Amino acid sequence: MTAVPTRNADGSLVAWRQQALDFEREVAKAVIGQERVIRLLTIAVFARGHVLLEGDVGVGKTTLLRAAARAIGGDYERVEGSVDLMPSDLLYYTYLSEDGRPKVDPGPALRHGENLSIFFFNEINRARPQVHSLLLRLMAERSANAFDREYRFPYLQVFADRNRIEKEETFELPAAARDRFFMEVGVKTPSDQETRQELIFNQRFHDVDALVATVKEGVIDFRQLPVIAATIQKYVHASQTLQKYVLDLWSAMQAPASVGISFPGIDMARLIRGGGSPRGLSYLVRGARVNAWLQGRDIVLPEDIRSLFQEIIAHRIFLDPVYELRQEGLTRDLCAAIFAAVPAP
């Protein structure tokens, strides 16, 4: 195993890794008690993947994204999901100018042009499926058509937050939409008393604008991110043994009974309705390469795969409707059972 990935010609991976660690430290100034969430966010940033955040109201998801956007640099845009939001609302808005004439200006997705780096869709499940469709186009192709031309967003990264508390006037993301998200990250309330006390009594955390302002701007040059991401994928390697391990995990996920996995009261032959797409497994390896790089390695180890399996794969496992109400618990147990059943190299 090589200690640090320096095999690229100019050794820039080492300098970029330092930038990534600096990025984490800056975000941690504004968000405490969420070290793993910040690491997952860093992996997504350097894997160029879009992120779906889940968590209770008031746990700091918006603060986390504002801090990350400030550290990445580029332009930031936020849209609030609502039942009356239409796709056109993302592209343009109309109004009457001072002279009483109708005017049309670019909307939130277009007005920053190529400098748009972070697009935050708050409460995405409040928006209609038509809006989801446009968002998927933005995510998949980093482009949109409006005003008789195509707009391109080469540095765009989408973050979306899903309100899981309220069910009225919400539209669940379809399977195809969830599969487009690189990672689904749960943001939980910190459990240790010291962090809870800080969040409640330290006035530093009461003014979010001032708190986010403490984060250094542009720790990473957002225009370099596509190049950095491609270089990581090129120079951090997955051995043949590791590749076989990933394929074995995939097979076990699609047919858990074939590797001896069984749960009491569950028809294992019926349990999985759809289990991980090729895109999902390729995302898993992409994230594992970034994780290895952040750990100072140029080769992927089984623990890189296992450490990201839940966040990258679990939301791509779709159960038979009979078991949908138990989706979260069953997929978590299934992931753990797969690791126990498939021997690591």
Side-chain angles (χ1 to χ4, degrees):
M1 183 194 316
T2 305
V4 179
T6 57
R7 286 203 247 170
N8 61 318
D10 60 1
S12 51
L13 277 175
V14 175
W16 287 333
R17 177 173 176 266
Q18 186 56 53
Q19 288 182 8
L21 299 179
D22 290 343
F23 167 80
E24 289 187 330
R25 274 192 290 274
E26 288 300 319
V27 174
K29 287 180 181 176
V31 182
I32 61 171
Q34 301 288 359
E35 291 79 9
R36 174 158 174 78
V37 171
I38 293 173
R39 171 51 58 100
L40 292 171
L41 202 72
T42 306
I43 291 170
V45 166
F46 284 92
R48 306 300 294 139
H50 309 293
V51 177
L52 185 62
L53 293 174
E54 272 217 342
D56 291 339
V57 175
V59 294
K61 297 189 294 296
T62 303
T63 304
L64 171 72
L65 291 184
R66 287 184 62 188
R70 186 174 170 88
I72 290 173
D75 289 329
Y76 168 83
E77 193 62 66
R78 169 177 168 155
V79 169
E80 298 291 332
S82 65
V83 69
D84 58 350
L85 187 73
M86 299 301 291
S88 57
D89 295 329
L90 302 184
L91 299 176
Y92 60 84
Y93 67 95
T94 59
Y95 62 98
L96 289 176
S97 62
E98 291 180 354
D99 60 8
R101 294 185 175 182
K103 296 275 289 184
V104 181
D105 280 345
L110 304 185
R111 61 175 157 241
H112 301 287
E114 290 192 351
N115 286 330
L116 181 61
S117 63
I118 300 292
F119 189 88
F120 176 32
F121 203 122
N122 193 34
E123 297 197 1
I124 187 174
N125 56 337
R126 285 197 181 280
R128 292 177 178 276
Q130 299 95 317
V131 179
H132 297 164
S133 296
L134 176 62
L135 188 69
L136 292 183
R137 161 85 187 268
L138 284 171
M139 291 165 58
E141 302 177 20
R142 291 189 165 92
S143 67
N145 289 324
F147 305 114
D148 294 326
R149 57 164 286 201
E150 182 181 61
Y151 289 78
R152 300 200 66 80
F153 315 98
Y155 314 112
L156 174 66
Q157 190 162 14
V158 173
F159 293 86
D161 161 55
R162 189 162 54 142
N163 183 327
R164 68 175 189 179
I165 303 297
E166 298 166 53
K167 296 298 181 186
E168 291 186 3
E169 293 190 335
T170 59
F171 304 87
E172 272 308 308
L173 288 176
R178 294 185 70 176
D179 193 55
R180 297 296 179 90
F181 282 95
F182 174 78
M183 187 181 278
E184 184 169 301
V185 179
V187 184
K188 298 179 180 176
T189 305
S191 57
D192 71 280
Q193 288 296 91
E194 186 179 347
T195 302
R196 289 184 168 195
Q197 190 172 356
E198 276 285 293
L199 291 171
I200 295 171
F201 292 100
N202 189 334
Q203 295 177 353
R204 191 168 80 87
F205 296 102
H206 298 174
D207 184 340
V208 174
D209 290 339
L211 184 64
V212 173
T214 64
V215 175
K216 184 179 177 183
E217 276 190 285
V219 178
I220 309 166
D221 182 352
F222 69 96
R223 298 176 191 83
Q224 276 195 310
L225 281 172
V227 174
I228 299 172
T231 307
I232 293 169
Q233 297 304 312
K234 182 177 180 181
Y235 286 99
V236 178
H237 302 281
S239 67
Q240 290 294 323
T241 306
L242 191 283
Q243 291 179 31
K244 181 180 183 306
Y245 179 56
V246 172
L247 291 172
D248 289 345
L249 291 175
W250 190 11
S251 298
M253 183 172 53
Q254 290 181 314
S258 68
V259 290
I261 297 174
S262 64
F263 298 141
I266 301 293
D267 181 351
M268 298 305 294
R270 188 180 179 185
L271 177 64
I272 304 296
R273 194 179 184 191
S277 62
R279 175 167 48 211
L281 271 294
S282 71
Y283 280 178
L284 177 62
V285 173
R286 215 159 93 183
R289 282 192 166 109
V290 177
N291 192 57
W293 170 67
L294 288 170
Q295 298 286 339
R297 288 184 268 106
D298 68 350
I299 189 166
V300 179
L301 299 181
E303 52 259 42
D304 296 314
I305 297 291
R306 288 197 295 264
S307 68
L308 299 175
F309 198 85
Q310 180 72 34
E311 283 83 7
I312 296 182
I313 296 298
H315 69 283
R316 295 184 162 87
I317 298 176
F318 302 102
L319 305 184
D320 187 276
V322 172
Y323 304 114
E324 273 186 352
L325 292 178
R326 301 168 61 186
Q327 171 90 27
E328 185 175 343
L330 281 174
T331 51
R332 185 180 57 246
D333 293 345
L334 181 62
C335 291
I338 289 171
F339 289 141
V342 178

